[in-house]
Structures are given as structure tokens and as C-alpha cells.
Amino acid sequence: MKVLIIGLNYEPELMGVGKYSGEMARWLAAKAHNVHVITSFPHYPAWRVSAPYVGCFYKIESVAGVGLTRTWAWVPRKPSGLKRLLHAFSFALSSSFAVIRQTLKKPDVMLVVEPSLSCAPLALLMARLTKTQCWLHVQDLEVDAALKLDIFKSQLLARFALSMERFLIRRFDVVSTITPEMMSNLQAKGVAADRLRYFPNWVNTDFIHPHAGLESEEYGRIRTEAGIASEQTVCLYSGNFGEKQGLDTILETARLLSARKDIVFVLCGNGAVKSRLMESAAALHNIRWLDAQPLHALPALLCTADVHLLPQRADASGLVFPSKLTGMFASGRPVVAEAVPGSDLYALVEPSGAVVPPGAPDQFADAISRLVDDVSLRNRLGALSRAYAVTHMDARSVLTGFERDLQSLVLSVARPRD
């Protein structure tokens, strides 16, 4: 197949949408498909364009068999709701020439990754003109998230955004997303059931496993940099430091457990609110801070944890899904998560971890204490997490199914759009 992928985020970003888009493209290229990606310059989660791309506006590359066209996007230093919208639309505008150029080469299928839906109008227009099948993959329901965060200051603007979203997503040949809850949400927005596909996030279970990196230099380096004593139990958060993560819960939990010298909280990553969090937690001596680690150190980092921490704001439930969960499960450690009862996240974590309501640091602290104090429970739940990752999240299985669905779309007779 000749596949064109359009998305705001891509490798070498190590977390979030960019990580998965990069692995997806490389998987297809390794299967001898012709893959081209139109994306921006790497900037997430630091919200700063990475070297050596600083100052670039347009760049064509070939990496791991994937053709890349990178175009400029305005990257705000402190991303607020409105600034995020401008960030997305700046990429949609700057990438328009590349989208037109690549679709005129007649790909078999064009795949748009949301966020950002701002790329959808031109993609759909070019798909119609070139008779290309068009697939939307929804990682975040960004319009609903914007409504929750009150980005649209008027009801009129909010109704317009929802109407445009419904208009656009109903015109894709296939719409996929990462959880059953998000599939139901898309169906409620008017996407026909026969056009919906379940395409969950995945993890390389050979790369990340319960003993990965335990004897490596990286494992020792991470523990040394974090100042972790041999007798301490490590509660790890690794990921983006953003508003929707609800990381204040971890800070309050650390305060509640500050008298326990056997527990240390390690917060690893970068993002918009990290400096605020560090200032807020300056007096807490049971928190350690690390910058985001390189990819080769990820297995050792995840295996540094005895317990993984997964906070999430209640208003993010059903709209976004934490991509970091796959690595947590693969590492064979239990997860303590905040989740709304009945949500996909609750259903996924509850059998092999501990789930508490969002915004309840006292319950978060109690769940951590139970796992710290009961090693056998911790090991049993960790083994269940690992088994689930191998059975349901393994990259080979998930991406093989995705490739099969892509091929079925390409081989099918094009259905008329609404």
C-alpha cells in the first residue's frame, strides 16, 4: 500500500501521540508499504522545538524507511487553551502545501491523526478530488476536551465547533479510536457503526518487561540521580506534566505520606506545569524529580518503580486515555489510578491494581500504603498487569490487526460519503 499519514506529533517525541504515530509508520514501512508522514517539528512535551530543528520552517527527511515532510507550527512556551488551538491551526496552515503535493501522488489511503482535527478539511477535500480512501484515527476527543476546559468562551462558538466536528468526522471512510468509551462517543456524534474501528495503543512487550534493565547501567544511574535508597519503595509517575494529568494529587499524596521514610515519589518527565509543581512541592523531601529519559532507558525507568502512579482529572474521563498505561502494564508493576467508576480506565486498572475517585488524595495515599506494605499483593497484581499487556496490548498483535484493516479498506469498493 501507499500510505500518507498526517499528524501534528511524531518521533523523536518519546511520549503521547508522537510515539505511537512513529511506531505505526515504521511498522508499515517494515512490512514493505510505501509510507510518507506529514508532521511538525518535535516539541512535545517540553513545548520547545528540539535540536537540530530550531529555526526550521520546512524539512524533508527519510527515517527508518519512512518519508517525512516536517512543516512549521507555532509552539507556545506556556500552552493555554487558546494557544493550543492556534498551535494546531498554524500546523494545518503550514502543512497545506505538503498535503496537496503528497495527495496528488495518489496514495491508496490517507490517515489523519487527531489531534489535530484542524487538518481534516483539506485532507477530506484532497481525498475526494483524488479518490483516496480517508481514515481518521482519534487519540484525543479534542473538541470535547476544549469544551471541558472552557476554551470556547461563548455558547455560539462551542456549538459551531461541535457542528464542524460532526460534519467532518462523518465524512471519513473509517474512524478509529483507542477505547470502547471513545467509540461510543464517536457513534453518538454520528459516525456509522460499520465505519468505526477499535485501534488501541500498544507496547513492545519484548522491550519492556518485568526484568528489563535491572542489571543495566541505566537502572543504577536513574536510582542514583533520583537519590533512591535501597530500602525505599518507589512510587513512579512517568509522563507529561500537563493540566489534564491532575498531578496535584500526587503532591498532596506525598504530603499525606511524608512521615513514611520507606516511600519515595519519583516524578519523571517534562511539560507545561512542571515548574509550578516543583515550586509547590519545594518543602517535600519525599519527592524526586527527573527529566524525561531517552528511549533506551525507558525499560530501566519503568522497572525502577515498585508502584506506578496514574492520576487523571475527572473532566478528562472518556475524552483522553493515558498512553503511558501500556508501558506500566508491560513492566509488571501494579498501578494506582484515579478513574471515574464505569470508565474504560477504571475497568482496565481495577482487576490488577487500585482505583480511587479523582480528587481524593487520602484514598490515593491509602491505596499506595496497602501495596507498599503487602509485597505479595504487589507481586500478584503486577503479574496480572503483565499478563494483560502480553495478551491485549502487544504491538505485533495490535499493529497486525491495524494493517489488515487498512488493506481491507484499500481493497474495498469506495463507499459514498454522506
Side-chain angles (χ1 to χ4, degrees):
M1 295 180 293
K2 191 174 182 180
V3 182
L4 175 63
I5 300 171
I6 304 168
L8 183 55
N9 299 95
Y10 192 76
E11 292 180 341
E13 294 177 357
L14 294 177
M15 59 184 68
V17 177
K19 169 187 178 294
Y20 288 104
S21 292
E23 291 178 2
M24 173 179 64
R26 285 192 285 106
W27 170 274
L28 292 172
K31 298 295 182 179
H33 301 295
N34 184 329
V35 183
H36 194 93
V37 175
I38 299 173
T39 188
S40 66
F41 296 102
H43 59 274
Y44 182 84
W47 291 95
R48 183 186 298 111
V49 175
S50 305
Y53 299 105
V54 177
C56 294
F57 184 82
Y58 189 90
K59 190 175 181 65
I60 296 176
E61 301 176 300
S62 179
V63 180
V66 178
L68 287 172
T69 300
R70 295 189 182 272
T71 69
W72 173 84
W74 177 64
V75 180
R77 289 295 299 118
K78 295 183 178 180
S80 63
L82 178 59
K83 289 177 180 177
R84 286 174 182 267
L85 289 177
L86 294 174
H87 167 63
F89 278 105
S90 70
F91 170 68
L93 181 63
S94 71
S95 64
S96 56
F97 173 75
V99 171
I100 293 170
R101 181 171 179 268
Q102 289 298 324
T103 50
L104 289 177
K105 295 181 179 180
K106 300 291 186 69
D108 295 306
V109 59
M110 185 181 347
L111 190 145
V112 178
V113 180
E114 182 186 359
S116 166
L117 196 61
S118 59
C119 297
L122 180 59
L124 287 167
L125 173 63
M126 293 306 298
R128 185 178 294 271
L129 291 176
T130 59
K131 294 182 171 56
T132 299
Q133 299 281 42
C134 208
W135 179 312
L136 175 68
H137 181 52
V138 181
Q139 286 276 4
D140 289 351
L141 288 162
E142 56 185 326
V143 174
D144 288 356
L147 291 171
K148 290 281 189 180
L149 296 172
D150 199 27
I151 291 174
F152 304 114
K153 298 302 182 182
S154 74
Q155 287 296 315
L156 182 63
L157 185 57
R159 286 197 296 269
F160 174 76
L162 285 169
S163 297
M164 281 301 299
E165 179 194 40
R166 286 175 60 90
F167 176 84
L168 291 169
I169 64 177
R170 291 174 66 244
R171 279 155 178 79
F172 282 87
D173 296 291
V174 168
V175 179
S176 62
T177 193
I178 59 178
T179 71
E181 193 174 358
M182 292 169 77
M183 289 183 71
S184 297
N185 195 315
L186 288 166
Q187 196 164 358
K189 291 174 182 291
V191 180
D194 65 333
R195 294 189 182 186
L196 275 172
R197 301 290 185 275
Y198 178 50
F199 181 22
N201 286 333
W202 59 85
V203 62
N204 183 337
T205 55
D206 293 332
F207 181 57
I208 298 175
H209 56 82
H211 306 290
L214 290 181
E215 305 299 326
S216 70
E217 292 183 5
E218 293 296 336
Y219 181 79
R221 175 187 62 78
I222 289 168
R223 292 187 67 92
T224 299
E225 286 185 11
I228 301 168
S230 59
E231 69 276 8
Q232 287 181 311
T233 302
V234 177
C235 298
L236 173 69
Y237 172 84
S238 176
N240 178 37
F241 286 70
E243 292 291 353
K244 68 184 179 185
Q245 277 70 35
L247 290 163
D248 291 287
T249 293
I250 295 181
L251 269 57
E252 184 57 32
T253 300
R255 289 189 181 95
L256 293 171
L257 296 175
S258 59
R260 294 200 56 163
K261 305 304 181 186
D262 59 330
I263 300 176
V264 62
F265 292 82
V266 178
L267 278 67
C268 177
N270 299 101
V273 303
K274 184 174 183 179
S275 59
R276 175 183 69 78
L277 293 170
M278 292 181 73
E279 290 174 9
S280 178
L284 292 173
H285 301 294
N286 58 343
I287 295 182
R288 308 289 187 267
W289 303 90
L290 292 173
D291 286 331
Q293 299 296 302
L295 180 61
H296 70 268
L298 181 60
L301 172 69
L302 294 178
C303 288
T304 300
D306 296 293
V307 177
H308 287 295
L309 307 180
L310 186 55
Q312 188 180 69
R313 285 171 42 169
D315 55 10
S317 179
L319 308 180
V320 298
F321 193 82
S323 59
K324 61 183 76 65
L325 186 62
T326 58
M328 293 177 175
F329 270 36
S331 71
R333 271 67 172 171
V335 177
V336 178
E338 288 184 301
V340 175
S343 67
D344 286 328
L345 181 58
Y346 188 101
L348 195 58
V349 174
E350 194 273 336
S352 61
V355 187
V356 302
D362 54 338
Q363 295 184 50
F364 208 78
D366 288 343
I368 289 172
S369 294
R370 284 197 303 273
L371 288 171
V372 169
D373 294 337
D374 192 337
V375 177
S376 63
L377 174 63
R378 205 162 70 219
N379 291 339
R380 180 171 62 82
L381 294 179
L384 289 173
S385 295
R386 171 65 185 180
Y388 187 93
V390 171
T391 304
H392 300 285
M393 296 175 168
D394 183 70
R396 284 163 296 200
S397 175
V398 174
L399 290 171
T400 296
F402 166 65
E403 181 189 17
R404 185 168 55 247
D405 285 343
L406 267 185
Q407 290 171 326
S408 295
L409 175 63
V410 170
L411 293 172
S412 67
V413 177
R415 291 175 293 230
R417 296 178 176 85
D418 294 336

